[in-house]
Amino acid sequence: MSAVERIGAEGSPARSPYFTEEHEALRDQVRRFVETEIKPHAHAWEEAGFVPREVLRKMGSLGFLGIRYPAEYGGSEMDTMATVVFAEELGRSTFSGVAITALVHTDMASVHIANAGSKAQRDRLMPAIIAGEKIVAVAVTEPDAGSDVKGIRTTARREGDSYVLNGAKVYITNGVHADLYCVAAKTDLAAKPSQSVSIFLVEKGAPGFRVARELDKHGWRSSDTAELVFEDCRIPADNLLGQEGRGFYAIMSNFQNERTVIGAMAMGEAQAAIDLTLDYVKTRKAFGAPLWDKQAIRQKLAMLAAKVEAGRQLVYHAAWLDAQGVDATREVSMVKAYCGELVNEVMYACLQFHGGMGYMRESTIERMTRDARVQAIGGGATEVMLEEVAKRL
């Protein structure tokens, strides 16, 4: 049955020509997990500041942490569209700190091992990563270098059968409780900036490596974030990921995947906020009638719904291009810029329509508004993304 036939078929689960029945089965499975395993408990995780590792192991046992990875390691060997489904549904959970904890592990950190790791490295680590037994963080950002990867200052020098790392990383998601870190460092200070960066595997407990402090954030409160310090941190030379000097290209290549995932997550958040606000304005009365009776409110929500649908289709199209092996750098940069700004526009309006309740910590929309703010910053700030688009106009 074709995608078009599935959409028109009575009782068909297909919601879009971009997705197969397998994708939609995944969507249903993730949505059930969100309802039963995340929403009832995530308030406590917000207070604790991290997602319990047993929850991530449950995700692993259900196959969520290996969606794109080889079957030989326990993965499902699905495509970019499946990643979008996973990210969008986690975004809809209303607990984006939980979403980003899982998505950094699956689509921003462990991908470096899957893509550049040697067979020995993959054989040793990927089964535990997919099972949720080893949680991974990626450490690129520094106090003076974020999207400007060439500007990192952390160094790694070869000493016999070891590398010695020195430097600091900041704003590292999963940084406090991760078991394994993919760390970017400069291995050749005399080389061109794009050829000076390498990526290394650093395991928790490595001599000279420490979590300097746990960072207190505006949003994503259930996600642990850290500042990391490397002081003569000695690791085996075999912990080099891929070739020396190729780290910059690996990081830039995976930015496309990261930004697609963040766009999908943002649209899931935005849709959840609209749904939540529709329920509120249809029951909350002001001046003797539900807020929904006010034309200004109805039309604002209608326009936001249209924008979110447009953003969602942009995410789907960019992901589909990637799944076909097409260079979608322009489209993915558009996704990150548009969706990162749009989710904040949606949250602003939805909190406004909740009135005073929207400003209270007990309301879901208050938490969602705080969580959304970083979507225009992390993974490539809007301004950086617009420059990427402008280069390709």
Side-chain angles (χ1 to χ4, degrees), residues 212-244:
R213 63 188 176 113
E214 184 172 356
L215 300 175
D216 191 14
K217 304 188 300 298
H218 176 58
W220 284 359
R221 305 285 298 177
S222 49
S223 155
D224 58 292
T225 307
E227 179 180 336
L228 310 176
V229 171
F230 304 88
E231 296 170 323
D232 290 332
C233 171
R234 187 173 294 273
I235 59 173
D238 288 345
N239 283 26
L240 173 68
L241 268 180
Q243 294 179 310
E244 222 182 73

Side-chain angles (χ1 to χ4, degrees), residues 44-203:
W45 307 341
E46 291 277 302
E47 294 297 322
F50 69 101
V51 178
R53 282 341 188 211
E54 59 265 28
V55 177
L56 297 173
R57 286 193 290 271
K58 280 185 181 180
M59 285 189 177
S61 69
L62 291 169
F64 296 158
L65 306 185
I67 289 171
R68 303 272 291 282
Y69 292 145
E72 65 179 302
Y73 300 129
S76 303
E77 298 188 4
M78 295 179 75
D79 61 5
T80 317
M81 302 310 301
T83 297
V84 163
V85 167
F86 184 50
E88 187 177 7
E89 291 305 319
L90 288 181
R92 285 172 62 98
S93 74
T94 77
F95 289 96
S96 293
V98 180
I100 200 62
T101 296
L103 292 170
V104 163
H105 173 74
T106 56
D107 284 273
M108 302 173 201
S110 62
V111 285
H112 290 292
I113 302 166
N115 293 342
S118 66
K119 188 174 189 309
Q121 289 170 332
R122 295 196 306 271
D123 288 349
R124 180 170 68 91
L125 297 170
M126 289 306 296
I129 287 169
I130 290 170
E133 297 294 338
K134 282 188 181 290
I135 301 304
V136 191
V138 57
V140 176
T141 302
E142 298 183 0
D144 294 318
S147 297
D148 179 17
V149 176
K150 294 176 184 177
I152 66 170
R153 297 181 180 179
T154 297
T155 61
R157 70 177 185 275
R158 182 73 183 257
E159 288 190 359
D161 59 357
S162 300
Y163 279 96
V164 179
L165 277 64
N166 281 283
K169 301 292 182 179
V170 73
Y171 315 137
I172 306 305
T173 300
N174 295 350
V176 179
H177 298 287
D179 305 290
L180 187 62
Y181 301 77
C182 297
V183 181
K186 286 193 170 176
T187 44
D188 185 353
L189 299 180
K192 292 170 56 178
S194 62
Q195 297 173 8
S196 65
V197 178
S198 304
I199 302 178
F200 298 89
L201 289 169
V202 178
E203 299 191 50

